[in-house]
Amino acid sequence: MPSSNEKVYAMSFAKIYPLLVNKAVKKGRTAAEVDQVTSWLTGYTPEQIAAAAASDLAYGDFFRQAPALNPARTLVTGVVCGVRVENIEDPLMQDIRRLDKLVDELAKGKPMEKILRKP
C-alpha cells in the first residue's frame, strides 16, 4: 500500500496547479501571483510552470526537478492542513506543503513582500 506521501508525489502537477490558482483567484489574487510564489520557491520561470502544468509531470517530480529551490524557503513556517510545516520530516513533502502555505498566504491577502521571505 503506497504511503499517503507517495500518492501526493504521484499526482499530476496539471491537476494540482489549477487548484492552487483557483484558491488564490477566488480571494482576488492572480495566477501570475501564484506563479511568482512558485518561482520564488522552486526557481522555475512562469513559462516552465505553464509547460509543467500542460504536461503529465508528477507533483513530486515537479519539486525533485526544481531548477533552484530557494534557500530562504526554510523561513516558510506555520500550519497547513493541520500540520506544522517546519515539523514535516520528509524534505520533499515539506517543500510541497511550503507551496501550499505560500498560496494560503496569498489567498489571505498577505502582501507579496511578506510572502516572499528575505533571509
Side-chain angles (χ1 to χ4, degrees):
M1 186 85 186
S3 74
S4 60
N5 285 6
E6 292 304 321
K7 286 183 195 154
V8 172
Y9 303 155
M11 284 183 205
S12 157
F13 181 71
K15 273 200 168 51
I16 293 173
Y17 177 72
L19 301 175
L20 296 172
V21 170
N22 288 343
K23 180 184 223 173
V25 168
K26 270 195 326 215
K27 299 288 188 170
R29 302 306 283 253
T30 66
E33 287 176 308
V34 173
D35 288 353
Q36 188 179 350
V37 299
T38 306
S39 294
W40 176 88
L41 181 65
T42 62
Y44 285 106
T45 65
E47 295 75 25
Q48 290 169 318
I49 295 167
S55 75
D56 58 2
L57 184 67
Y59 201 37
D61 291 337
F62 177 78
F63 284 91
R64 287 186 196 103
Q65 297 168 15
L69 287 169
N70 192 323
R73 73 189 187 283
T74 56
L75 301 174
V76 178
T77 59
V79 177
V80 162
C81 303
V83 179
R84 190 154 280 285
V85 173
E86 57 272 31
N87 295 345
I88 296 171
E89 288 183 20
D90 181 331
L92 181 57
M93 182 54 73
Q94 196 174 41
D95 286 332
I96 286 171
R97 292 296 182 207
R98 284 182 178 129
L99 181 57
D100 289 341
K101 182 68 181 165
L102 293 171
V103 173
D104 278 356
E105 290 178 359
L106 250 185
K108 286 184 174 130
K110 241 188 174 180
M112 195 60 83
E113 314 73 77
K114 290 250 192 308
I115 296 171
L116 306 182
R117 280 44 171 202
K118 303 250 186 308

